Amino acid sequence: MEATGTDEVEKIKSKFMSAWHNMKYSWVLKTKTYFSRNSPVFLLGKCYHFKTDESGELSTDGSNFGKINKEISGNVEEFRKDFISRIWLTYREEFPQIKGSALTTDCGWGCTLRTGQMLLAQGLMLHFLGRAWVWPDALDVDNSDSESWTAHTVKKLTASFEASLTAEREPKILSNHHRGTLKRNCDDSERRNEVYHRKIISWFGDYPLAAFGLHQLIEYGKKSGKIAGDWYGPAVVAHILRKAVEEARDPELQGVTVYVAQDCTVYSSDVIDRQCSPVDSGKADTKAVIVLVPVRLGGERTNMDYLEFVKGILSLEYCVGIIGGKPKQSYYFAGFQDDSLIYMDPHYCQSFVDVSIKDFPLESFHCPSPKKMSFKKMDPSCTIGFYCRTVQDFEKASEEITKMLKSSSKEKYPLFTFVKGHSKDYDFASSPLHEERHLFPEDEKKRFKRFSAEEFVLL
Amino acid sequence: AARMQEVAEIRMKYPNKIPVVVERYQNEKTLPPLTRTKYLVSQDLPLSHFVVTLRTRLYLASSQTFYLLVNNKGLPNMSITMQELYQDNQDEDGFLYLTYASQEMFG
């Protein structure tokens, strides 16, 4: 009896909290984001320019970016389409209770898990749909006449987006209704893509059975000493994602694996071993890998010397973004303009959507409005991710990133390194090097003792 | 000044060893403090070995993050030796100061 009593209290408490969080976090959406028209915008390796409607014309401007030279893949409209097509995962409420707790929401604590999910979702989108794919309905999300989904959010969002981008907007000719008719005529590959699009989102559903849903991720996090309601860090989430992908049973997911770097070192042979590990179905195919590198871009504050490198990483098409944030709040960084990062914010409380229902609404899984913040404000803790479909892709990526690590950072040392071989080849924890004291000649040891033995540890 | 003298003496006695001070990042919340903060390290020891030693001393699991920062802002490359790190980053008092930190948590 007593137990259910406290349960009730917990439930009421969490209701209050979510109401509060909703208030607290919804303002974020009202703020406007301004983009400069004079410099290119990068989104996960694609370069956009808002100045012109003719793509390609301004490719010389790319050289302003130092080493990053990119073909321009579109104008503002195409950027919006691309941005909205990314999968956006936010706080949710009223989902099935999390095992071992009374929580039915992750408002106020789940943001790093959400940004991690967004990164994995981008990896899966690259894997199943490719970087060029965009959601055909992307621009409908932006339609202010649409009452079809949680209208109160859409209106605010649309308002802010339109305010910042109005100048470039084409008048809307097609109404929602027309688009609906057109949709029916879509060809097979589009239909196939739509199936994957929904499938990927459903893997992130907020119920216990979803392979990468919050409930599962929390289960895997327990091994790192985390429970529901805790705050998570980008490295912890990287390990949780690795575990979740390893444990995923869906046959479609057997072709993907995740590698997490340790101590800022990627051991190439370990990655390739993961890619070549036998697929359940017995096929000889190698797996695609998502490499995650948890790093720290400085001490108290982010070291500005890493800016060029972070930009470089975000201008690679196989980059799947960065799990990072500003102090206390996690963001999913997906692009940049000048010295500002473009991100998606999970701090917005939306209602639970049952993704097991056929044709569940997709709108709340796509963010209509990009956010921007200065690199300076970024918290140094983050996890960088990139996707490699084949072993060759991985080798190419490690070469390219190594070059970038060397050239783009003003810091003397690269942020992380690729090392040939396995980590166990470098395993010396058990070797005598570890504590070398006994290797010293006795008399020297004595001499040392007299001097300041209690002060120094000899290694 | 006292530290400088300390370093001078120890450098004379152990010309092949590098005096290192390892401190915990001031706002660190997850990593425990080190019981010993001063180390004399062989100059040809790779930094990665030194990190493993510190990890062992702190009883860290391999999935726990541990970053060593020089001058409180840069992450040094794991493959360089202590000697190289010392040459570029030693303090004027003769010690090499390193800070260790994990990652921040977000909500």
Side-chain angles (χ1 to χ4, degrees), chain A residues 291-321:
Chain A
V291 178
L292 300 177
V293 191
V295 291
R296 192 169 172 117
L297 304 170
E300 173 123 37
R301 285 175 185 208
T302 294
N303 182 345
M304 290 304 280
D305 291 346
Y306 291 124
L307 171 63
E308 286 306 316
F309 174 70
V310 170
K311 284 188 185 182
I313 280 283
L314 290 172
S315 56
L316 298 170
E317 284 211 10
Y318 51 86
C319 171
V320 291

Side-chain angles (χ1 to χ4, degrees), chain A residues 58-69:
Chain A
L58 276 142
S59 48
T60 45
D61 270 28
S63 58
N64 292 345
F65 261 158
K67 287 134 216 140
I68 304 155
N69 271 306

Side-chain angles (χ1 to χ4, degrees), chain A residues 30-34 142 156-169:
Chain A
K30 287 178 212 150
T31 50
K32 292 173 189 168
T33 303
Y34 295 96
D142 180 45
K156 277 180 223 156
L157 297 166
T158 314
S160 74
F161 207 114
E162 279 183 347
S164 55
L165 302 170
T166 310
E168 286 89 348
R169 287 288 300 278

Side-chain angles (χ1 to χ4, degrees), chain A residues 118-136:
Chain A
M118 287 192 252
L119 180 139
L120 181 59
Q122 177 58 20
L124 295 174
M125 290 213 320
L126 284 185
H127 186 70
F128 292 108
L129 299 166
R131 180 65 187 86
W133 178 84
V134 287
W135 183 30

Side-chain angles (χ1 to χ4, degrees), chain A residues 2-21:
Chain A
E2 189 124 32
T4 51
T6 46
D7 237 36
E8 284 305 308
V9 173
E10 281 297 307
K11 257 181 210 156
I12 293 165
K13 217 161 94 187
S14 75
K15 278 241 169 74
F16 264 117
M17 282 309 278
S18 72
W20 158 244
H21 283 131

